Amino acid sequence: MNKETMTSAEEFFGEPRKHNAPARRGRARGRKADKDLFAELKLKMVMRIYSVSRARAAAIIAGRAGERQALEEAREAARRLHGDGTMAAEDFFGA
């Protein structure tokens, strides 16, 4: 083999990295918001408790959120019916 047929390391690997330059790294990861972390924790808890997939756990959480919204709307409607200043028993006892 002569020098004309051999390639140098710089030609084969490309330009050498400068010693002072930092190595290229992947994209920097940002910190997740607390709301995202709580949602992820809630999802994992439902997955473990009910032994279901991630998609099914998300459906369960969404269904429960709908039920809770309907309950709150019903309580608000009941409060509006007592316009004479009285309080509903559920509100008084915190049920």
Side-chain angles (χ1 to χ4, degrees), residues 24-75:
R24 290 180 58 178
R25 297 187 183 187
R27 199 174 80 166
R29 295 181 183 167
R31 182 172 178 194
K32 286 188 175 182
D34 289 338
K35 186 169 55 171
D36 295 337
L37 292 174
F38 179 72
E40 185 68 24
L41 177 67
K42 185 167 47 170
L43 190 65
K44 286 183 179 183
M45 284 177 55
V46 171
M47 287 171 62
R48 287 184 184 154
I49 290 170
Y50 293 107
S51 299
V52 294
S53 68
R54 186 176 201 84
R56 180 67 181 126
I60 290 171
I61 292 170
R64 296 282 170 91
E67 290 174 6
R68 184 170 197 80
Q69 181 67 25
L71 179 63
E72 291 296 324
E73 289 173 0
R75 283 186 178 170

Side-chain angles (χ1 to χ4, degrees), residues 4-5 12 17 27 31 46 59 67 80:
E4 294 173 6
T5 59
F12 187 75
R17 186 174 68 88
R27 199 174 80 166
R31 182 172 178 194
V46 171
E67 290 174 6
R80 279 186 250 131

Side-chain angles (χ1 to χ4, degrees), residues 4-22:
E4 294 173 6
T5 59
M6 290 181 63
T7 58
S8 67
E10 285 91 16
E11 290 174 349
F12 187 75
F13 292 111
E15 225 175 279
R17 186 174 68 88
K18 295 179 183 173
H19 294 290
N20 294 338

